[in-house]
Amino acid sequence: MASTSSTFSPADKPHVAVHALKLAYGENVILRDLTFDIRRNEVFVIMGGSGCGKSTLLRHLIGLQQPASGEIFFDGAIFSSADASERTALLRRFGVMYQSGALWTSLTLAENVALPLREYTPLPDKDIAMLARYKLALVGLSGYEDYYPSEISGGMVKRASLARAMALDPEVLFLDEPGAGLDPVTSRLLDDLILQLRDSLGATVVIVTHELASIFAVADRALFLDATTRTIGALGEPNELRDHSENPRVRSFLNRKASL
Amino acid sequence: MSGFSHSISGAVSSANEAVAEWVSTEARPCILRIAGVWNIRGTSGIPRVESLLRKIADGKDARIIFDCSGLARHDSSLAAFLLEFHHCCVARGAVVDFATLPPLIARLLALALVRSDGRSGSESEERARPEGSFFQRMGGWGISSVNSWTKAFDFLGQTVIAVWNLVRGRARTRLSECWLFIQACGVDALPIVSLISFLTGLILAYIGAVQMKQFGATQYVAGMVGLAMVREMGALMAGVILCGRTATAYAAQLGSMQVSEEISAFRVLGIPPMEYLVLPRIIALVCMMPLLTLYADLCGIFGGLVVVTSMDVTLEQYYTMTLRAINMTNFLSGLIKSVFFAMLIGWAGCFRGMVCGKSSQAVGDAATSAAVLGITLLVIADAVFAVLFDAINFF
Ligand SMILES: Nc1ncnc2c1ncn2[C@@H]1O[C@H](COP(=O)(O)OP(=O)(O)OP(=O)(O)O)[C@@H](O)[C@H]1O
Ligand SMILES: [Mg+2]
């Protein structure tokens, strides 16, 4: 809500804080010793090779999975062990776009975007339909309001699920691979849109991606997850990391070199 | 030709309410004042575009600018309102000047407008599926039912071809898959088959006993229960249970594979889904159904036994009366029927799964219609068998 919003807590407190997090599926530890902050109103990119646990980390950040150990704080309040009602209240301030889209297949695109609005706002149907049209227009899907998810292309599914993620004007927007499956131009437009949304909604954006062009275009800071050491490889500004990181794997990732 | 009234009277613009009202009177350009708190979670709602536009009904080629000085807070409800407003104004020939909006909103609107170029909102109205007149609906219903019959026969043909390939030994069927299905549709069904057929035998025995008691011929109930179970109820009850358990499971499995395009992936690999997915399922049912039927027969007879022995009939009497009533032919007729039932049930489940649509709703429909189709086919087949066995004197 631009600079006009008065609901924000002091800007120095990190929006999301992760402390000594360990992620595991049963005995199989995916990542450990994760400690980092996500600042308010920044675009934070989580990157790393395929299968290093980016989506897993995201699922923990949005509370779909419980960490093996460690804590996640949201707005200074502990999130990872909050009870059910606190957690739902917090979750309503998140918008999530899943890697596979996860649109509800029995609803049209407009209904998909409208469902969160219908559940959590007191608006009448007409206004909800108007908002849904607007959100779909933002991602370039005007005219497709009455299509079902099975009737649109893979990239359109991605964009529609972004529209659904921002239905409630979330404070934190989590995007899992938003650019995958889009052509370069649409991908650029999506990057623009993400920056615009950050500015206009005052939202914090957390993006999982491995598309270099998009990382350099949008990221304020990037977190590199290292599949070899199973922990944080580097954290910082992308340009800085590319040229000056001590971790050679980070440099080769950001320079697109196949070394190591 | 300025048709503007003075600013809307009576509009109480309290501090935390979204406000959009005309301020300009005769002056050009027209000024829309936007103020207050625009919040999608607020209870006051969003101002109506239509009621604002009614004021410029004759305002052709008017230029509209905005006064946002009173704007306290806003979220996407404002942008959504302005987008709608813009579309409606353009449709009426008015020009909206976004440059007078705060830059952040203007940029978002520009983005939304760029991306809605080419396709306008009105196009989506064509997609609205109208109910149509009575005749249209009847026609649509007719076409869709013909279509579903065509599909059914097509699928039947494919099944026959797949079976023929299997007989020739050319089918790409993984028979090891069958074991899993055999466990799922056979062994795992034992508890429910036991319960249902035991109770069926018990019910039959009670009904029979009420009548027979009047003639003091309670021991004849034994033969009645035995015959009914072996010829009719064993196969029928096992069939109904497998319709509910297995046909629906098949439809849901194949249906969700259809949704996630797993079936397309098989097809593209050159593995015919009919042989790889459908045949093992039907084969498993055909193998297990006669065994389940036999088992159901025994459970039913046992159910009858429990009732009748409580009514001064001895175990031995029950045994001899049962043996006297049923013969090998009775058993065979039940088993022959059960094999056919198994084919129908498996076929119904797989058919509904394979023609499933691409949504979670469609998967549910597939499971439901698999059960309905399966039970319908089952009862029809049973009737056909009754007539047939009578015609060839197969008793
Ligand atoms: N449900 C699960 N159960 C067990 N292990 C899992 C599960 N989901 C993922 N994993 C494992 O966790 C690891 C990380 O998976 P994750 O999906 O987080 O990767 P990713 O970094 O998002 O990769 P990609 O870029 O390909 O999406 C993988 O090795 C995977 O095998
Ligand atoms: Mg992933």
Side-chain angles (χ1 to χ4, degrees), chain B residues 266-293:
Chain B
F266 275 123
R267 223 171 243 141
V268 170
L269 265 182
I271 299 174
M274 291 302 299
E275 294 169 13
Y276 200 79
L277 299 172
V278 173
L279 277 190
R281 289 179 162 79
I282 297 184
I283 290 172
L285 262 181
V286 171
C287 293
M288 292 322 285
M289 182 79 177
L291 298 179
L292 282 178
T293 303

Side-chain angles (χ1 to χ4, degrees), chain A residues 1 4 105 121-122 126-127 133-135 138-140 142 144 146-148 151 168-169 189 193 196 200, chain B residues 40-42 46 48 50 72 74-76 79-80 84 107-108 111 115-116 119 124 127 129 358-360:
Chain A
M1 282 171 231
T4 48
T105 49
T121 66
K126 250 188 157 172
D127 290 347
R133 269 200 303 281
Y134 163 69
K135 307 268 166 170
L138 272 183
V139 295
S142 350
Y144 290 94
D146 293 325
Y147 281 63
Y148 284 92
E151 300 171 329
L168 285 171
D169 291 342
L189 280 172
L193 175 65
Q196 301 265 0
S200 65
Chain B
I40 55 171
R41 292 178 172 84
I46 304 173
R48 287 258 91 86
E50 300 89 59
H74 62 86
D75 56 17
S76 61
E84 186 84 358
R107 286 219 314 263
L108 270 181
L111 207 60
R115 307 184 122 226
S116 54
R119 298 186 66 97
S124 65
R127 298 229 0 131
R129 288 140 196 173
K358 291 208 173 221
S359 67
S360 51

Side-chain angles (χ1 to χ4, degrees), chain A residues 1-7 92-93 105-106 117 120-124 126-127 130-131 133-135 137-148 150-151 159 166-169 186 189-190 192-193 196-197 199-201, chain B residues 38-50 71-84 104-105 107-109 111-117 119-121 123-125 127-129 259 358-361:
Chain A
M1 282 171 231
S3 51
T4 48
S5 172
S6 57
T7 57
R92 215 163 296 167
R93 294 152 69 183
T105 49
S106 56
L117 290 165
Y120 293 124
T121 66
L123 296 176
K126 250 188 157 172
D127 290 347
M130 183 173 85
L131 274 162
R133 269 200 303 281
Y134 163 69
K135 307 268 166 170
L138 272 183
V139 295
L141 285 175
S142 350
Y144 290 94
E145 287 86 358
D146 293 325
Y147 281 63
Y148 284 92
S150 55
E151 300 171 329
R159 288 186 275 149
M166 54 198 209
L168 285 171
D169 291 342
T186 314
L189 280 172
L190 196 70
D192 280 356
L193 175 65
Q196 301 265 0
L197 285 176
D199 293 342
S200 65
L201 299 178
Chain B
W38 291 69
N39 185 359
I40 55 171
R41 292 178 172 84
T43 44
S44 55
I46 304 173
R48 287 258 91 86
V49 173
E50 300 89 59
L71 193 57
R73 253 193 316 138
H74 62 86
D75 56 17
S76 61
S77 56
L78 176 57
F81 167 82
L82 288 170
L83 185 70
E84 186 84 358
L104 280 176
I105 309 175
R107 286 219 314 263
L108 270 181
L109 281 174
L111 207 60
L113 282 173
V114 168
R115 307 184 122 226
S116 54
D117 263 5
R119 298 186 66 97
S120 70
E123 218 166 304
S124 65
E125 272 149 37
R127 298 229 0 131
R129 288 140 196 173
V259 171
K358 291 208 173 221
S359 67
S360 51
Q361 175 84 48

Side-chain angles (χ1 to χ4, degrees), chain A residues 72-251:
Chain A
I72 298 166
F73 299 89
F74 179 71
D75 238 347
I78 192 152
F79 176 61
S80 46
S81 58
D83 67 34
S85 63
E86 287 173 68
R87 184 183 291 261
T88 7
L90 284 177
L91 281 177
R92 215 163 296 167
R93 294 152 69 183
F94 292 177
V96 185
M97 171 185 156
Y98 300 90
Q99 189 165 11
S100 57
L103 292 176
W104 295 302
T105 49
S106 56
L107 305 179
T108 64
L109 299 193
E111 288 166 347
N112 261 284
V113 179
L115 191 140
L117 290 165
R118 195 158 286 149
E119 291 303 312
Y120 293 124
T121 66
L123 296 176
D125 284 355
K126 250 188 157 172
D127 290 347
I128 287 178
M130 183 173 85
L131 274 162
R133 269 200 303 281
Y134 163 69
K135 307 268 166 170
L136 285 171
L138 272 183
V139 295
L141 285 175
S142 350
Y144 290 94
E145 287 86 358
D146 293 325
Y147 281 63
Y148 284 92
S150 55
E151 300 171 329
I152 59 176
S153 77
M156 286 156 80
V157 168
K158 283 255 133 135
R159 288 186 275 149
S161 78
L162 175 62
R164 187 183 69 184
M166 54 198 209
L168 285 171
D169 291 342
E171 266 175 57
V172 193
L173 201 52
F174 293 96
L175 312 175
D176 198 349
E177 311 250 359
L182 298 182
D183 63 281
V185 178
T186 314
S187 183
R188 259 286 316 280
L189 280 172
L190 196 70
D191 289 346
D192 280 356
L193 175 65
I194 288 168
L195 290 176
Q196 301 265 0
L197 285 176
R198 190 266 305 261
D199 293 342
S200 65
L201 299 178
T204 303
V205 187
V206 180
I207 308 177
V208 166
T209 183
H210 33 220
E211 274 177 42
L212 291 179
S214 150
I215 293 174
F216 289 116
V218 299
D220 292 319
R221 289 190 310 149
L223 173 76
F224 181 84
L225 296 177
D226 197 329
T228 347
T229 57
R230 301 201 163 278
T231 181
I232 296 178
L235 171 62
E237 234 178 275
N239 287 320
E240 190 75 9
L241 291 183
R242 177 186 55 195
D243 301 330
H244 306 295
S245 171
E246 310 91 79
N247 189 333
R249 279 185 294 271
V250 178
R251 285 201 309 273

